[in-house]
Amino acid sequence: MYQNLKLIPVILAFFIIGCTQNTPVESVSTSKPDWSSNPWPEIRKQRISQLLPEAMKAAQVDCWLTICRENNNDPLAIHVGGENAGGTAAFLFYIDDSGFHSLVFSPDGEATALDELDIHDEVVRVPRGTSAVAQAAEFIKSKNFQQIAINSSTSNSLADGMSFSQREELESLLGETSSKLVSATELVYEWLSIKLPAEVEIMRQAAQLASDFQYEAYAMIEPGKTTDADVAKFLKEKMAEYGVTDAWHPDQNPNVNSGPDRGHSHATDKIIMPGDVIQIDFGVKLYDIWVSDIQRFAYVLKEGESVAPADIQQYWEHGKAGSRAALAAMKPGVKGVEVDRAQRELMEKAGSEYVMWSTGHPVGYVAHDVGPNLGGSQAPSIRPAAQKELKKGMVFAFDGFHAWKRADGTTKTISVEEMAVVGENGAEYLIQPQEELILVK
């Protein structure tokens, strides 16, 4: 069914995760993967034909219109095949008595290439000087659609690509039919939150690379000399060497922090010293589509130490227990807030300081992707996304938390971050989780 799997390069002999000594396990890989054969075209086709009809039904929408254009394109353009739009094009997806259909009204200059992608049932050529949106509006008015979804949303930026002027024009063209326009928020949520098995496998590779690179980075640290920024530079060089890109904004990827909590931030020139607990928050993007989000933690041994101090080791064990509790709670039908609660109960028993961040978030096309938020159990009010139920095929990045006060009164949080995919009966880690605190001499 997923023939595109053969297009996904296999990375042989990854690092063995779970380093118990101060020297990370060495990689035995002798060659770098080849990312040149991009599986996205085939996967995109499958996502449209297999997942989109179900998403439309779940959102109770029988028509969805996306308008693509040059330079200021819709965030979902790449998902529907409109990433190379020149003149304005209208992408229609609809369900009628004969089933699911996709229809594009495309400017003549792009129509041939778009048709050759073989994504859509029909590509209608729009002559120069003719409005593709007007033709789409006429088609919509000829059908008896009940709810027409458009990309206008107050809660989901990915579903908010239609500009004010585009909506104004569309409503004018539709006339009375414009009363049937609804937000595409739920449709986009239902569609993007589920990943195909082939996509999960690619994210598994992205997660493994992010983890492997971090183990290598910890091995190059010289306490008293290496800075957080040096470690970040090393990771940037690994990305360039392997031909992968940043999972989020380059200025904050990776976030290397050997001092007190800084939240989402850039690496500074702080010198890494004995006794520091180091956090690396890092992700890579493969094929310029799929991303990972992985954190690994280390302790810098002081002179005479061969293991971490008892309190640091205990904090690590508490954080790891929180991660395992969250994973165990991640099942189809469970709300995101319930996953957060499973960990928070352990944190309270372990005496952890308050942690402001959610236990986890969806990950896929961006680091903080569309889907249920794994948080809110200790918040004054629970955000709507945390009330959403987990479903098979959703992928999450999530943390095992434990926070404590340092001697100077600042806070340090262990938030070892893993990735997992939800299956029929529960969730599984994408890669082997970090079992032991990494020790740096």
Side-chain angles (χ1 to χ4, degrees), residues 386-409:
Q387 297 283 21
K388 295 285 191 179
E389 294 182 355
L390 277 62
K391 295 183 179 180
K392 179 183 176 182
M394 290 181 173
V395 180
F396 294 92
F398 64 104
D399 297 277
F401 289 134
H402 188 89
W404 68 96
K405 291 293 185 183
R406 297 171 10 125
D408 61 2

Side-chain angles (χ1 to χ4, degrees), residues 344-352:
R344 300 288 173 174
E345 292 174 352
L346 288 186
M347 291 172 62
E348 186 175 355
K349 293 178 181 178
S352 171

Side-chain angles (χ1 to χ4, degrees), residues 144 148 179 266 414:
N144 189 31
I148 305 156
S179 64
H266 60 278
I414 282 179

Side-chain angles (χ1 to χ4, degrees), residues 211-384:
S211 178
D212 290 351
F213 290 173
Q214 289 179 69
Y215 274 84
E216 287 193 60
Y218 280 126
M220 55 78 67
I221 293 174
E222 296 181 49
K225 179 180 179 181
T226 305
T227 67
D228 290 352
D230 291 333
V231 178
K233 181 181 178 182
F234 175 88
L235 289 168
K236 289 290 193 185
E237 291 171 349
K238 292 298 296 185
M239 290 169 60
E241 178 185 352
Y242 275 72
V244 299
T245 55
D246 290 285
W248 52 89
H249 198 282
D251 287 351
Q252 294 190 356
N253 182 51
N255 174 15
V256 182
N257 177 20
S258 62
D261 291 344
R262 287 172 51 82
H264 296 106
S265 63
H266 60 278
T268 71
D269 288 325
K270 179 194 173 300
I271 297 174
I272 296 170
M273 299 298 293
D276 283 342
V277 173
I278 313 174
Q279 167 199 22
I280 300 179
D281 188 0
F282 178 55
V284 301
K285 179 182 286 189
L286 301 190
Y287 303 109
D288 204 31
I289 298 289
W290 297 276
V291 306
S292 58
D293 187 1
I294 294 289
Q295 291 187 46
R296 294 290 177 251
F297 275 74
Y299 173 75
V300 184
L301 294 168
K302 296 177 181 178
E303 186 175 353
E305 289 182 335
S306 59
V307 296
D311 58 344
I312 299 297
Q313 185 62 37
Q314 192 62 50
Y315 300 154
W316 167 256
E317 296 299 335
H318 289 325
K320 189 168 70 171
S323 172
R324 304 310 187 262
L327 182 79
M330 293 167 60
K331 299 178 181 179
V334 172
K335 293 180 179 180
V337 66
E338 295 169 354
V339 177
D340 184 63
R341 185 175 294 114
Q343 170 168 218
R344 300 288 173 174
E345 292 174 352
L346 288 186
M347 291 172 62
E348 186 175 355
K349 293 178 181 178
S352 171
E353 296 288 326
Y354 174 72
V355 175
M356 71 176 75
W357 300 290
S358 298
T359 287
H361 55 82
V363 62
Y365 307 119
V366 290
H368 290 190
D369 206 354
V370 175
N373 168 258
L374 309 183
S377 66
Q378 290 185 334
S381 61
I382 302 173
R383 69 176 78 173

Side-chain angles (χ1 to χ4, degrees), residues 32-154:
K32 299 179 180 63
D34 176 15
W35 311 116
S36 60
S37 297
N38 192 341
W40 175 242
E42 180 64 25
I43 288 177
R44 174 170 59 184
K45 188 186 304 184
Q46 293 177 6
R47 288 192 56 81
I48 290 173
S49 64
Q50 297 173 20
L51 299 184
L52 184 52
E54 296 305 313
M56 292 178 68
K57 292 174 185 177
Q60 299 181 337
V61 165
D62 51 355
C63 180
W64 177 36
L65 169 65
T66 295
I67 300 174
C68 296
R69 61 181 177 180
E70 193 173 30
N71 296 330
N72 187 22
N73 214 342
D74 191 288
L76 295 175
I78 193 170
H79 291 273
V80 300
E83 64 272 19
N84 295 315
T88 299
F91 291 73
L92 276 174
F93 304 90
Y94 63 96
I95 299 172
D96 60 17
D97 292 340
S98 61
F100 171 78
H101 310 277
S102 57
L103 171 64
V104 185
F105 294 93
S106 171
D108 196 46
E110 292 84 49
T112 298
L114 181 59
D115 200 19
E116 288 176 350
L117 290 178
D118 195 29
I119 297 174
H120 303 286
D121 298 334
E122 183 179 3
V123 177
V124 176
R125 293 174 177 272
V126 178
R128 286 181 177 272
T130 304
S131 169
V133 177
Q135 290 199 16
E138 287 302 313
F139 177 83
I140 290 171
K141 288 192 291 185
S142 73
K143 305 285 283 186
N144 189 31
F145 296 130
Q146 299 305 303
Q147 294 208 93
I148 305 156
I150 56 172
N151 298 344
S152 181
S153 174
T154 59

